[in-house]
Amino acid sequence: MENGKVEVNIVNLREYGIGKSRQIDDYAFGGGAGMVMMMEPLVNCIEELKKRGEYDEIIYMTPDGKLFDQKTANKFSLQNRLMIICGHYKGIDERVREKYITLELSIGDYVLSGGEIPAAVVTDAIIRLIPGAMNDETSALTDSFQDGLLSPPVYTRPADFEGLKVPEVLLSGNFQKIDEWRLEKAIERTKQRRPDLWKKTL
Ligand code: ADE
């Protein structure tokens, strides 16, 4: 943000709340435990933001959304403006989802108390891909998942720590051999830890 590479604008939905208490949630029609986020504050907020500029996507963070992955992060890092809506309580009124949301995303098969942390997860995954946002520009390209493989093990100095040695090949200076070794280890690790990912990569 300091370098002007990205802008993050956080909006408090309470500002669009109804009445003196700035109400944003209400009981669910049909009964049952838990509150539902009301249409009006959300619609007023979304409409006002849309007036200020066009959005590539209006995303809703929800455990029943599509699983967020590196491919989606890559795609988003090339877009101009994203709006991310964070739900709370039992979620947002279904009609908002039908009318405004272009994509629903989950960060995993577990339920968090709100969409803020999922939104921060998605935001971080996107921003670190923007050129100039990280110190080492090529680093993001060699991340786990970028080539459908987990990352190989990494080591730094000292080469020998109380008898725990760094694999010889990494000290050899032979970069072709090093690349081969890294690929071999990445494949080995992916097969072992994420057979599901390996099947897709094949
Ligand atoms: N909101 C609550 N839990 C969530 C999850 N797992 N992913 C996205 N949004 C959520």
Side-chain angles (χ1 to χ4, degrees), residues 60-64 87 105-116 118-119:
Y60 174 50
M61 301 309 304
T62 173
D64 57 15
L105 287 180
S106 164
I107 63 159
D109 289 342
Y110 40 82
V111 179
L112 300 169
S113 55
E116 291 85 355

Side-chain angles (χ1 to χ4, degrees), residues 70 128-129 134 136-144 146:
Q70 192 62 46
R128 62 187 293 287
L129 296 173
M134 284 217 302
D136 182 356
E137 286 210 13
T138 55
S139 178
L141 297 173
T142 58
D143 287 339
S144 278
Q146 282 298 13

Side-chain angles (χ1 to χ4, degrees), residues 71-138:
K71 203 172 125 202
T72 312
N74 292 348
K75 189 179 107 186
F76 286 166
S77 73
L78 300 171
Q79 289 180 325
N80 280 327
R81 273 162 151 256
L82 303 170
M83 188 190 301
I84 307 181
I85 302 197
C86 309
H88 248 258
Y89 320 110
K90 276 285 162 198
I92 65 176
D93 192 300
E94 188 68 20
R95 292 166 291 181
V96 177
R97 295 169 73 160
E98 286 163 2
K99 190 165 155 60
Y100 290 99
I101 303 300
T102 60
L103 183 67
E104 302 191 330
L105 287 180
S106 164
I107 63 159
D109 289 342
Y110 40 82
V111 179
L112 300 169
S113 55
E116 291 85 355
I117 291 170
V121 167
V122 169
T123 305
D124 183 275
I126 297 167
I127 291 174
R128 62 187 293 287
L129 296 173
I130 296 171
M134 284 217 302
N135 290 333
D136 182 356
E137 286 210 13
T138 55

Side-chain angles (χ1 to χ4, degrees), residues 11-77:
V11 179
N12 183 359
L13 196 63
R14 282 264 172 220
E15 287 170 23
Y16 299 87
I18 293 165
K20 259 210 315 263
S21 63
R22 303 227 167 255
Q23 185 183 358
I24 55 170
D25 61 325
D26 208 338
Y27 296 102
F29 276 128
M35 305 294 273
V36 176
M37 285 171 65
M38 303 164 80
M39 284 201 79
E40 257 180 284
L42 278 164
V43 169
N44 290 340
C45 176
I46 295 169
E47 288 291 355
E48 192 181 303
L49 292 174
K50 276 172 66 172
K51 264 188 227 142
R52 292 191 218 155
E54 260 182 46
Y55 285 87
D56 296 302
E57 301 274 8
I58 302 182
I59 301 162
Y60 174 50
M61 301 309 304
T62 173
D64 57 15
K66 176 177 171 274
L67 205 57
F68 179 63
D69 59 11
Q70 192 62 46
K71 203 172 125 202
T72 312
N74 292 348
K75 189 179 107 186
F76 286 166
S77 73

